[in-house]
Amino acid sequence: MALSIAARSAVAGQMRASEAASPPLVTPEACARCEAREVSVCSVLSGDDLARLSHISVVSTVGEGETFITEGDPADHFFNITAGTAKLYKLLPDGRCQVTGFARTGDFLGLAAGAVYVFSAEALEPVRFCRFARSKLRGFLRDCPEMERRLLDLARNELVLAQEQMLLLGRKRARERLASFLLSWQQRAAPGPGNRLMLPMTRTDIADYLGLTIETISRTLSAFKKTRLIAQTALSELIILNGTELAAIAAGDR
Amino acid sequence: MALSIAARSAVAGQMRASEAASPPLVTPEACARCEAREVSVCSVLSGDDLARLSHISVVSTVGEGETFITEGDPADHFFNITAGTAKLYKLLPDGRCQVTGFARTGDFLGLAAGAVYVFSAEALEPVRFCRFARSKLRGFLRDCPEMERRLLDLARNELVLAQEQMLLLGRKRARERLASFLLSWQQRAAPGPGNRLMLPMTRTDIADYLGLTIETISRTLSAFKKTRLIAQTALSELIILNGTELAAIAAGDR
DNA sequence: CGCGATCTTTGACCCAAGTCAACCCCGGAG
DNA sequence: CTCCGGGGTTGACTTGGGTCAAAGATCGCG
């Protein structure tokens, strides 16, 4: 990631030197170097198509806490996360929040949108992404069925996850929800040294993702620690000691 | 619907007469007559493509209570509902059930699946559908980008609904959930005479959809009746008297 | 290095919805 | 017409997780 951020900075630097008003367009070379490519939609693209795509994409970064997609705004862009973690969420008028997912490197955002975005996205740590204008992407897709197929696969996979989450929110108990979350996050997040699990989100984010409160998250984590299912190495860093048992809890088997 | 069922029966009749072992293949003429076409994926197809699609589709019907997709089975087929209503659901090992959606005429099933189905589908009333082998559809999609685009649109729309449902399950109170459900069902279901809303599902199905119990559904419906938000004309048939107020409740505004 | 802000943990109490149980209603079979 | 069985409704009571409150970590910053 350090390498990649350096590469990105170089691109932004180029841009700034040549034309400060226009956004930092991506060069095919930058795409070829991008270490997020193999986990992104772009992985299916041949050199030729990749070059075309790079010309309609714009790289940017946002800092921690910044909102880069706002529910209700015209859904003019798609986003491909190339570094960092973001939370995706929906709000009720009175402020109640449901986090619908966490987006990481390689995730493609904007599929779940009609004319306007139906969710907001906020960076949990510095996030870098490629942005595509919806109108331009449409033209690209016309000539590139592989990409369209890939997007369909992504959307289908997201649907599978969404339904799994409905089961969790509708029918699982608090401890089952948290166990499910820890295991699924372990799947998706690169494990740190010593099998450490990094959680870039706050307890509030986890609570809003699992349909619980921060107090319940805290209490349940403490219970998991007491029964030696997990160990906490830092506030946002823990180790899963007994994944088998956690999986049994997640499935509702005890 | 009556006409359509008759048409289907004719097709099945032909089939049975000629070759009992093989399934009832659809003829292009049957597709042209199909009154579910305009609301289905097939609506985007030209006559030529429609004819091709018809040759890889198989019509069948299932009776009330029959399960025609089983979670965990190899996901070999896609389904396009052409009549009736089905519930889609997931189960936990101990039997807890989450209904992830109700499928009606025009709905396309099987997008949310990897190698195996991740949900089950059961007919709530007699259901008719066209079934496509996944392998055959893949070949068809290769030559028919409109269809692929349409499937992507369908998947995206389902994703929007899924996220809305996550908000409901994670953050809404019982009365807000029920109000949301009644209004969304009113949107999708053809209104009966006198603005009547037909509910082909049982209280149990509604409860499993909203992450509640039948008792809570029953009590909340009674409360809505008492405050004259709705009126009940039969066990599974009601009228929305005050949609504005229901919408305010659904949004969490009171 | 120590201050203040923010996040987390823990405890005491409460309540929305779940559980358990009795009864009702309706529709189909005999 | 009556019986029977499977929803559906309603009431009494319980409870898992929410709410409120206070104290304890953690971290950025001057």
Side-chain angles (χ1 to χ4, degrees):
Chain A
M1 179 187 295
L3 179 108
S4 162
I5 283 174
R8 182 259 146 205
S9 299
V11 172
Q14 276 172 16
M15 177 281 300
R16 225 175 287 122
S18 59
E19 169 61 77
S22 97
L25 290 175
V26 175
T27 62
E29 301 76 50
C31 276
R33 274 199 310 272
C34 174
E35 101 295 4
R37 189 156 83 91
E38 60 208 43
V39 295
S40 299
V41 273
C42 342
S43 63
V44 293
L45 297 181
S46 66
D48 222 36
D49 285 330
L50 188 61
R52 267 197 71 192
L53 182 62
S54 75
H55 285 115
I56 63 169
S57 78
V58 173
V59 173
S60 6
T61 58
V62 293
E64 181 180 334
E66 279 188 70
T67 299
F68 58 98
I69 299 178
T70 303
E71 188 177 358
D73 278 3
D76 294 335
H77 295 90
F78 293 102
F79 299 78
N80 191 44
I81 308 284
T82 55
T85 311
K87 69 170 170 182
L88 315 179
Y89 62 96
K90 291 171 71 75
L91 294 174
L92 283 171
D94 64 2
R96 277 175 284 175
C97 173
Q98 178 65 37
V99 170
T100 56
F102 297 103
R104 294 174 47 77
T105 304
D107 286 336
F108 190 86
L109 302 185
L111 283 174
V116 299
Y117 295 115
V118 297
F119 61 88
S120 301
E122 180 187 318
L124 297 179
E125 50 190 4
V127 161
R128 177 165 38 91
F129 53 77
C130 290
R131 211 184 56 188
F132 311 91
R134 182 200 271 250
S135 55
K136 288 184 185 162
L137 191 67
R138 198 171 309 143
F140 177 74
L141 287 181
R142 207 174 359 260
D143 307 332
C144 185
E146 300 85 42
M147 180 75 166
E148 188 141 52
R149 200 156 303 138
R150 183 68 199 269
L151 287 186
L152 180 55
D153 286 345
L154 282 180
R156 292 181 57 188
N157 191 50
E158 267 199 65
L159 263 178
V160 170
L161 296 177
Q163 297 191 356
E164 193 60 45
Q165 193 68 1
M166 285 189 225
L167 176 62
L168 180 148
L169 292 169
R171 288 300 182 218
K172 289 191 181 177
R173 322 222 131 275
R175 45 194 268 105
E176 298 164 352
R177 296 187 197 196
L178 194 54
S180 302
F181 167 70
L182 291 176
L183 291 171
S184 74
W185 188 254
Q186 188 184 36
Q187 293 293 101
R188 295 206 322 144
N195 228 6
R196 284 197 196 112
L197 200 56
M198 311 293 294
L199 299 176
M201 67 290 287
T202 67
R203 300 287 186 267
T204 303
D205 298 330
I206 299 175
D208 286 342
Y209 181 56
L210 299 179
L212 300 167
T213 59
I214 50 171
E215 292 93 333
T216 299
I217 300 297
S218 192
R219 279 188 253 268
T220 309
L221 276 179
S222 296
F224 284 174
K225 275 186 278 183
K226 192 141 38 189
T227 51
R228 308 227 14 99
L229 295 172
I230 64 171
Q232 201 170 20
T233 47
L235 239 186
S236 288
E237 193 183 298
L238 47 82
I239 301 175
I240 293 185
L241 297 176
N242 191 342
T244 316
E245 183 64 14
L246 267 188
I249 293 172
D253 280 344
R254 61 198 64 162
Chain B
M1 180 190 288
L3 178 106
S4 164
I5 283 174
R8 183 258 147 205
S9 299
V11 172
Q14 277 171 16
M15 178 282 298
R16 226 176 286 121
S18 58
E19 169 63 77
S22 98
L25 290 173
V26 175
T27 62
E29 300 78 51
C31 277
R33 272 200 310 272
C34 176
E35 101 294 5
R37 188 156 85 90
E38 61 208 45
V39 295
S40 300
V41 273
C42 342
S43 64
V44 292
L45 297 180
S46 65
D48 223 34
D49 285 331
L50 188 63
R52 265 196 73 192
L53 182 62
S54 75
H55 285 115
I56 64 167
S57 77
V58 172
V59 174
S60 10
T61 58
V62 293
E64 182 182 333
E66 279 188 69
T67 299
F68 58 98
I69 298 178
T70 303
E71 189 176 357
D73 278 3
D76 296 333
H77 295 91
F78 293 102
F79 299 78
N80 192 42
I81 308 285
T82 54
T85 310
K87 67 170 170 183
L88 315 178
Y89 62 96
K90 290 171 73 74
L91 293 174
L92 283 170
D94 66 2
R96 276 174 283 174
C97 174
Q98 178 65 38
V99 169
T100 55
F102 296 103
R104 294 176 46 79
T105 303
D107 287 335
F108 190 85
L109 301 185
L111 284 176
V116 299
Y117 295 115
V118 298
F119 62 88
S120 301
E122 180 188 317
L124 297 178
E125 51 190 5
V127 162
R128 177 165 38 92
F129 53 77
C130 290
R131 211 184 57 187
F132 311 91
R134 181 201 270 249
S135 55
K136 289 185 184 161
L137 191 68
R138 198 171 309 144
F140 177 74
L141 288 180
R142 204 171 3 258
D143 308 331
C144 186
E146 299 85 43
M147 181 74 166
E148 189 140 52
R149 199 156 304 140
R150 183 68 200 268
L151 286 186
L152 180 55
D153 286 345
L154 281 180
R156 293 180 57 188
N157 190 50
E158 267 198 65
L159 221 34
V160 169
L161 296 177
Q163 297 190 355
E164 191 60 46
Q165 192 68 1
M166 286 188 224
L167 177 62
L168 179 148
L169 292 170
R171 287 300 180 220
K172 289 190 182 178
R173 323 220 131 272
R175 44 193 269 107
E176 297 164 352
R177 297 186 196 195
L178 194 55
S180 303
F181 167 70
L182 292 176
L183 291 171
S184 73
W185 189 254
Q186 188 184 37
Q187 293 292 101
R188 298 206 320 144
N195 228 7
R196 286 199 195 111
L197 199 58
M198 311 293 294
L199 299 175
M201 68 290 287
T202 66
R203 300 286 186 269
T204 303
D205 297 330
I206 299 175
D208 287 341
Y209 181 56
L210 299 178
L212 300 168
T213 60
I214 50 172
E215 291 93 334
T216 299
I217 300 297
S218 191
R219 279 188 254 268
T220 310
L221 276 178
S222 296
F224 284 174
K225 276 185 278 182
K226 193 141 37 190
T227 50
R228 307 223 19 97
L229 295 171
I230 63 172
Q232 201 170 20
T233 47
L235 239 186
S236 290
E237 194 184 298
L238 47 82
I239 300 174
I240 293 184
L241 298 175
N242 190 342
T244 316
E245 182 65 14
L246 267 188
I249 294 173
D253 280 343
R254 60 197 68 160

